[in-house]
Amino acid sequence: MHAMVLNAIGEKLVWTELPDRTPGPGQIRLKVTACGVCRTDLHVVDGELPHPRVPIIPGHEIIGRIDAIGPDVTGLNLGERVGVPWLGHSCGTCPYCRDAHENLCDAPEFTGYTRDGGYATAVIADARFAFPLGEAGEDVALAPLLCAGLIGWRSLVMAGEARRLGLYGFGAAAHIIAQVARWQGREVFAFTQTGDTASQDFARSLGAVWAGGSDERPPEPLDAAILFAPVGALVPAALKAVRKGGRVVCAGIHMSDIPSFPYALLWEERQVLSVANLTRQDGLDFLDLAPRIGIATRTTAYPLHEANRALDDLRHGRFDGAAVLVP
């Protein structure tokens, strides 16, 4: 197998030939057909997440075909197309797992961060955390659903029944969740970097009723806002934009420091919430719903060996939607 390997934090990934791997008990091996490039991958490469494991193969929006099955695996078949997300394993025994909150597991493993991920031609996965995808849809188009879609979905659920919904940072996750929100009958207000008229036009093309810079106020108070951009200064900005009793949901795994702000912005029962990882039930719910919605992802494909270029383009916002690596 071949992979793009992070050997040291802050360094570029290295194209590496590795021995083929054999799945153990409860595991499957996938021949990777597509792997999305997520902002979390940048956080891994830059060392912004605690306790990094290196060397590591990044990537956690994985689409592939099962080409080997280990002992004790049921319900999956050779040749079947599956997706592998960020949460790659949970212990099943801690209080959080027992209470249906495996996203908060005390001993988790994360694909592309603490266990090798999908920037490779093959990957070993815990069979319990692989989602059957059926045959509808192209691999490249489906890859962003495995994190941008799933984390966006969990964030949307946490936003509650908000009719007027603000999305801060209109990238891979927001362009998917905007479509879900519109399908649900919500009004979407898109916030981009100041002056990013291309992303604002993109948001309007997906049904946003308003699009502007993150330094602007929406034309009417929001019921809730989801922050996909990892910028702490957006928290008080979003609090200013939501109505009394409104919610601000922070969707990222990492965010710059939140600046101090007057209590008056939080008062009147506004809430600030964070989203951590996902559960398998999130995956089942969203991936069942996605085909009915008819989500169209905008993707830019890169050869696997150009993963460094894809990460750099993501860092500098050189594309709309999501980047996807293809072996």
Side-chain angles (χ1 to χ4, degrees), residues 74-211:
T74 59
L76 295 172
N77 300 296
L78 288 173
E80 186 171 3
R81 184 171 67 164
V82 299
V84 177
W86 170 249
L87 184 62
H89 175 84
S90 63
C91 71
T93 59
C94 72
Y96 298 104
C97 286
R98 295 199 306 268
D99 196 32
H101 290 99
E102 65 183 2
N103 60 306
L104 303 177
C105 175
D106 283 334
E109 294 180 11
F110 298 113
T111 311
Y113 175 41
T114 61
R115 61 186 294 150
D116 282 335
Y119 286 17
T121 56
V123 64
I124 300 292
D126 185 327
R128 300 174 304 150
F129 290 82
F131 298 118
L133 296 174
E135 295 301 323
E138 298 295 325
D139 296 340
V140 168
L142 291 175
L145 301 184
L146 270 295
C147 184
L150 288 177
I151 295 300
W153 170 252
R154 186 171 181 86
S155 303
L156 184 62
V157 171
M158 292 184 71
E161 299 299 321
R163 184 176 68 85
R164 294 188 299 271
L165 178 70
L167 302 179
Y168 284 77
F170 207 84
H175 98 284
I176 293 171
I177 294 308
Q179 297 174 65
V180 179
R182 292 294 300 126
W183 181 80
Q184 293 176 331
R186 306 176 194 239
E187 294 181 350
V188 173
F189 297 74
F191 297 81
T192 71
Q193 289 187 347
T194 302
D196 187 356
T197 56
S199 292
Q200 292 164 20
D201 291 342
F202 180 37
R204 293 188 194 96
S205 75
L206 294 176
V209 299
W210 177 90

Side-chain angles (χ1 to χ4, degrees), residues 52-76:
R53 192 199 105 183
V54 288
I56 190 74
I57 302 170
H60 58 273
E61 297 178 334
I62 306 170
I63 307 294
R65 299 271 176 182
I66 300 173
D67 74 348
I69 299 177
D72 306 321
V73 173
T74 59
L76 295 172

Side-chain angles (χ1 to χ4, degrees), residues 8 17 23 63 65 80 125 247 307 314 316:
E17 183 176 1
I63 307 294
R65 299 271 176 182
E80 186 171 3
R247 296 180 181 178
L314 172 61
H316 293 98

